[in-house]
Amino acid sequence: MVARRRVEIVVGLAAVAAWQAGPVDRGTLATAVRYTLEEVAARAPGNSVEVRVPPFGVAQCVAGPRHTRGTPPNVVECDADTWLGMAAGRLSWADAVAAGSVAASGLRADLAGLLPL
């Protein structure tokens, strides 16, 4: 089952474009993050990996074993600028992990094949 989008595609794309153009307000940043989280979940549906971009959003994606309680076994967490940088192709997954900008735990928590969007 595909999750319903909460951010309209045109609004999300505009927020991402604004972020790419330069500094944005917190609302635009939040919209860009939420849109890209929805996009990664739409492109890789599933519940085996939880992607967290605090305080703006979280998404579950990637097909595989599902967790039911507690902390998921596959978690990716980073700040908004790192996430958007990877989603937009400005920052590679490998470079972000090597720099310590992404915390990734679990066997399925490698999003290199899904990014950039």
Side-chain angles (χ1 to χ4, degrees):
M1 182 171 108
V2 176
R4 181 180 65 85
R5 286 191 180 263
R6 295 175 186 227
V7 178
E8 292 180 36
I9 293 173
V10 71
V11 173
L13 289 172
V16 171
W19 175 83
Q20 287 181 316
V24 294
D25 61 82
R26 184 175 170 86
T28 302
L29 182 63
T31 300
V33 168
R34 290 176 184 136
Y35 168 73
T36 53
L37 286 171
E38 288 177 0
E39 188 63 22
V40 77
R43 291 183 185 199
N47 296 93
S48 70
V49 178
E50 186 167 286
V51 181
R52 301 172 180 167
V53 184
F56 301 114
V58 62
Q60 291 188 351
C61 59
V62 182
R66 178 185 184 121
H67 74 281
T68 56
R69 287 187 270 169
T71 302
N74 302 289
V75 177
V76 173
E77 187 168 336
C78 61
D79 63 74
D81 283 324
T82 300
W83 172 250
L84 291 173
M86 292 186 299
R90 289 185 175 182
L91 178 64
S92 74
W93 171 263
D95 289 344
V97 170
S101 300
V102 172
S105 63
L107 297 174
R108 296 176 181 269
D110 183 343
L111 300 182
L114 297 175
L115 299 170
L117 300 174

